Amino acid sequence: MDYPNDQAPGAPVRSGIPEHGRVPKYYAVKARIDRLVGELGEGGAIPTERDLSERYEVARETVRQALRELVLEGKLRRQGRGTVVAGPKLEQPLSLASYTEGVRRQGRTPGRALVTLDRFPCPEALAAETGLTRGEPVWHLERVLLADDERVGLESTYVSVARLPDLDTAFDPDSSFYAHLAGQGIAFGDADERIETVLATPREALLIGTPPALPMLLIHRVSRDAEGGPLERVRTLYRGDRFSFTTHLRG
């Protein structure tokens, strides 16, 4: 197999062109617009569908499909009635670190908007997953995640009321939950984490401000304290067009 001299290590091999060489029209247009994205830089305005269809001598629907995929990949974003080049994706480390730390490391301002904070008896499924006692009071904290006031995710946290009895009065919903735990003298031990791709529900899409068809990265985390006791159960949705995840592996 031949590799172009300018093949980037993270790019699709041979630019994603199959060996038989038959490339769908929309993909060829997408590749050309992608190069245009690199030339324009963040915030640069993409020509209209009509202008692009005339430039590349293809139907407007072909251009529309190419633009749609670039929007889903997070390279472009809609702005008003036009389309502009999106900024780089946020990189979130896969570690026992808070969302706040990950966003700040990239020069962005983290924030959260409270959706709900309520308490209810721990259901059987949550008890079985976390080691909490069925029926014991648990908090449910749900917040929209922000980066420079842009809505980028939705987080649901479940924690025992006995562990944090005054969460509803002593905790600032716009602050780091992990920093609050540390302030209470609670130390993390370990956690199990699972990642999958999903589509947001209509409610989730409305809260995050995205189309329901936008792919999401969903992280499930069950954490334990330093003594191995149950600490939290978290379900976090991240916009697939705005996030990537990083981790460091050792042999």
Side-chain angles (χ1 to χ4, degrees), residues 48-191:
T48 65
E49 290 181 3
R50 179 178 179 178
D51 290 341
L52 290 171
S53 65
E54 291 177 355
R55 178 185 300 191
Y56 301 135
E57 299 181 338
V58 295
R60 289 183 65 172
E61 180 54 39
T62 301
V63 170
R64 192 171 298 126
Q65 184 176 356
L67 292 174
R68 189 183 304 123
E69 289 202 1
L70 289 168
V71 168
L72 288 174
E73 291 175 5
K75 295 180 178 179
L76 300 177
R77 61 181 173 85
R78 305 296 186 186
Q79 182 171 290
R81 299 184 64 181
T83 305
V84 300
V85 177
K89 289 188 177 185
L90 290 160
E91 292 186 359
Q92 188 71 359
L94 290 173
S95 63
L96 280 174
S98 73
Y99 168 78
T100 300
E101 295 170 18
V103 174
R104 280 181 176 159
R105 273 200 295 265
Q106 294 164 82
R108 305 285 294 274
T109 302
R112 297 165 183 81
L114 180 66
V115 178
T116 183
L117 174 58
D118 53 11
R119 53 187 287 175
F120 55 88
C122 181
E124 183 175 357
L126 180 61
E129 189 176 20
T130 60
L132 295 171
T133 302
R134 179 182 177 185
E136 73 166 287
V138 295
W139 291 114
H140 171 224
L141 171 65
E142 185 179 32
R143 299 180 293 175
V144 174
L145 302 177
L146 308 171
D148 291 342
D149 294 325
E150 177 188 10
R151 289 179 284 176
V152 293
L154 182 67
E155 180 182 76
S156 284
T157 302
Y158 302 87
V159 64
S160 169
V161 171
R163 173 81 73 169
L164 295 170
D166 58 353
L167 186 65
D168 57 338
T169 58
F171 174 62
D172 176 5
D174 187 39
S175 66
S176 166
F177 181 64
Y178 287 4
H180 180 71
L181 289 176
Q184 301 297 309
I186 300 172
F188 276 96
D190 64 350

Side-chain angles (χ1 to χ4, degrees), residues 167-229:
L167 186 65
D168 57 338
T169 58
F171 174 62
D172 176 5
D174 187 39
S175 66
S176 166
F177 181 64
Y178 287 4
H180 180 71
L181 289 176
Q184 301 297 309
I186 300 172
F188 276 96
D190 64 350
D192 295 317
E193 201 161 71
R194 185 176 84 252
I195 304 175
E196 58 184 309
T197 56
V198 298
L199 296 179
T201 65
R203 176 181 178 273
E204 290 166 339
L206 184 63
L207 287 170
I208 302 173
T210 60
L214 181 70
M216 296 280 178
L217 294 166
L218 172 60
I219 292 189
H220 301 273
R221 176 185 286 183
V222 177
S223 305
R224 290 165 289 273
D225 61 22
E227 287 71 44

